[in-house]
Structures are given as C-alpha cells and as structure tokens.
Amino acid sequence: MSLGEQAPPPHVGKINYQKNLTPDLAIIRVQPADERPVPDFSAGQFVALGLKLDGHHNITYRPYSLSSPPEEKRYFEFYIKSASEYVMSKFTSTLFKMLKGDLLYWRKPAGAFTIEDKKADGAPDTRRLVLVASGTGLAPFISYVLHLKNIKSKREIVLLHGAKYVQELGYCDMLKNMSESDPNFKYLTTVSRLDHELSRDWRGNVGRVETLLVRKDGCKSQLEEAVGEKVTPENSFFYICGYVGTINAVISILSPLGFVTNRKKREDGSFDIKIETYI
C-alpha cells in the first residue's frame, strides 16, 4: 500500500450459529453481513476474526482455523476454545458472549496448513493421511475430511483426536457416523482426564493422543492395528495440529521410523509430516 493510500474497509460478519459444548468450548458460524458467499479458500486455512474491545475504535484480530470445508459458501465455521482453561482472554470472553445476529469483523482466509496432494517430484501423493489432533487442533482436520468427502477422494484417512474430557471430543457423532459408512475413513479418540464430570461414563482409550502411535512390547500401535499394517513414510503422511507438547511427542515417536517434517525437509524437498502449532 503506497504512502497516503487508505487501508480497505474491514469485512463485516454476523454470528448465525453458536453451540457451546462446554463453558469454554464452542462451535461458531460467521456469515458475511452482506450475505455474499464466503471467499474461496483451501481446507486447513484460517480466518482472523476482529472485535472492538472495551469501546476502543481499533479492531483487535485473532486467527482461528476454519472447520468448514471450502465447498460451504454460506458461512465460516470455527471450533474455538478459550485461551486458558481457567481464565478466558478478553477477546474470547467477548466472542463467547455474542448472540445470533451480532456483528464482528473478519479478514480473508490465509495460511499454508493445507493438504499435500503431490510429492516433491510432482507425482500424485496417494499415501494415507494420518491426522493427529489435540484439543481444538481438530478444526482444520474437520475441513480436510469434509472437503475430501465432497470431492469424492479415495485416499485413506485416519483421524486421531485427543482431548482432556469426553465433552471436548467435538464433532464426535459426525465422525463416528462417517467412519461407520466409509471404509476409507477411520476415527480414533482418547481422553486424558477421567477424574472429571465432563468425562463421566467414558469407556474408550485413555491418555494423550500420541499414545495411539506407540508400539508396545514389539506389537503394533493402535493406529497400526486400525490400518492393518506397520506405518511407514512409504505408506503414510502425517499432519499434526495441536499444542507444542503434542507436536514434539508425535515427532519423537515418528522420527526413529524415518519420518521427516516439513521444517527439516530432505535434500530433494520431500517430507512426511506437516505441522501446525496451537498456543
């Protein structure tokens, strides 16, 4: 933008849906206030939402991954948790108090955490996609899964989601239904905190999401049991989205198996793990 040129006016949106899964976790939809279709984007990208806090004239923006697929043109969908388990940020607390029809601001979708469909040499990448999410790191993978379903992709997809509590396994019913109806889609979940009302009656896997990748006593991991073979860089490509601890733990498990991240590519530009960090 040249000197003296004014910045373009911000895009205005309105809340058209909000579902609180817990007091600090919600699914929120935002549609353009002018009711135009949302702009084109790629599965895995984010949108920065903007609010005027405490009566200030300046707009404060926060980026949130899109959980809606690119084919959904009516609204953006987000899977949002407060910045802290105990104390919501000023931005998130304001957002969570908003009602259907309330206005806010948004910026066009951006980001590079998108699906890799070609190898370094340009050949199609047909390896299974293993999507590893902790908490709201699930959001971009919902966009991935719905997009690949919409385009009738035949690629095998395995989604692993770890949460602290059962009620934080967002989109669980939808994903279970998909796994039951689509042989190319598998869905594994785990919960790390059972001593809480939000985890009442849980009978599934217990532990952090990376435990689903651990081989025990020479046996296959739960992921490998699900896919029916050992997981290698030749047959699987990993995406990890979540907290730094999750990312580091998953990389420490995969690296000895020959997997290479996009942060340290091989000399030919190839890699087997793509990373997105949630603070």
Side-chain angles (χ1 to χ4, degrees):
M1 187 168 63
S2 61
L3 187 64
E5 185 180 349
Q6 291 187 343
H11 299 287
V12 180
K14 62 181 177 181
I15 305 285
N16 76 351
Y17 176 88
Q18 178 164 340
K19 178 182 179 181
N20 287 85
L21 305 180
T22 72
D24 61 357
L25 180 65
I27 295 172
I28 296 174
R29 293 175 182 167
V30 176
Q31 69 178 107
D34 59 10
E35 299 189 359
R36 293 183 181 181
V38 303
D40 293 340
F41 65 91
S42 297
Q45 292 192 302
F46 66 85
V47 162
L49 297 179
L51 297 172
K52 292 182 179 179
L53 303 176
D54 297 329
H56 293 170
H57 294 296
N58 293 332
I59 302 172
T60 299
Y61 285 94
R62 294 286 184 272
Y64 295 100
S65 291
L66 289 160
S67 56
S68 48
E71 296 76 20
E72 177 54 74
K73 307 304 289 183
R74 295 171 296 174
Y75 53 77
F76 297 121
E77 183 167 293
F78 306 92
Y79 181 54
I80 299 175
K81 187 176 176 64
S82 65
S84 165
E85 183 177 3
Y86 303 104
V87 181
M88 283 192 180
S89 70
K90 178 71 71 174
F91 190 98
T92 315
S93 61
T94 302
L95 182 62
F96 273 45
K97 291 174 184 176
M98 296 179 75
L99 303 174
K100 185 176 180 180
D102 285 350
L103 300 180
L104 72 173
Y105 303 94
W106 57 274
R107 288 174 172 162
K108 288 185 178 180
F113 191 62
T114 52
I115 299 171
E116 300 289 327
D117 56 8
K118 287 184 171 49
K119 295 183 178 180
D121 62 4
D125 195 339
T126 59
R127 290 176 289 180
R128 79 166 54 89
L129 306 179
V130 183
L131 316 177
V132 184
S134 59
T136 51
L138 177 70
F141 296 149
I142 297 300
S143 185
Y144 281 23
V145 168
L146 294 177
H147 168 62
L148 292 170
K149 180 181 179 182
N150 288 337
I151 66 172
K152 295 179 170 54
S153 171
K154 298 301 182 183
R155 251 177 124 170
E156 184 183 359
I157 307 167
V158 187
L159 174 56
L160 284 60
H161 186 207
K164 291 179 181 177
Y165 315 114
V166 175
Q167 290 191 26
E168 292 185 345
L169 292 173
Y171 300 91
C172 185
D173 291 340
M174 179 191 79
L175 295 169
K176 281 182 178 178
N177 289 336
M178 289 180 65
S179 68
E180 291 169 359
S181 62
D182 184 354
N184 284 328
F185 178 69
K186 297 176 177 62
Y187 174 52
L188 304 178
T189 56
T190 185
V191 170
S192 60
R193 296 187 183 178
L194 294 183
D195 56 343
H196 195 284
E197 185 178 349
L198 294 177
S199 296
R200 189 173 49 210
D201 300 327
W202 176 248
R203 296 293 182 269
N205 295 312
V206 177
R208 293 162 59 97
V209 68
E210 60 266 24
T211 61
L212 301 174
L213 306 176
V214 177
R215 296 173 179 170
K216 296 181 179 179
D217 302 323
C219 298
K220 294 179 180 179
S221 65
Q222 285 178 268
L223 168 62
E224 291 172 326
E225 289 287 350
V227 301
E229 65 177 352
K230 286 194 173 183
V231 169
T232 69
E234 289 70 40
N235 62 32
S236 301
F237 188 102
F238 279 77
Y239 297 80
I240 316 170
C241 189
Y243 305 112
V244 173
T246 299
I247 290 171
N248 291 341
V250 173
I251 291 173
S252 70
I253 294 167
L254 296 178
S255 291
L257 304 179
F259 287 86
V260 172
T261 76
N262 60 321
R263 295 177 179 176
K264 296 181 179 179
K265 299 178 184 179
R266 299 182 183 93
E267 288 187 6
D268 65 357
S270 64
F271 58 97
D272 322 295
I273 306 171
K274 196 169 185 179
I275 299 164
E276 179 86 339
T277 304
Y278 267 41
I279 298 174

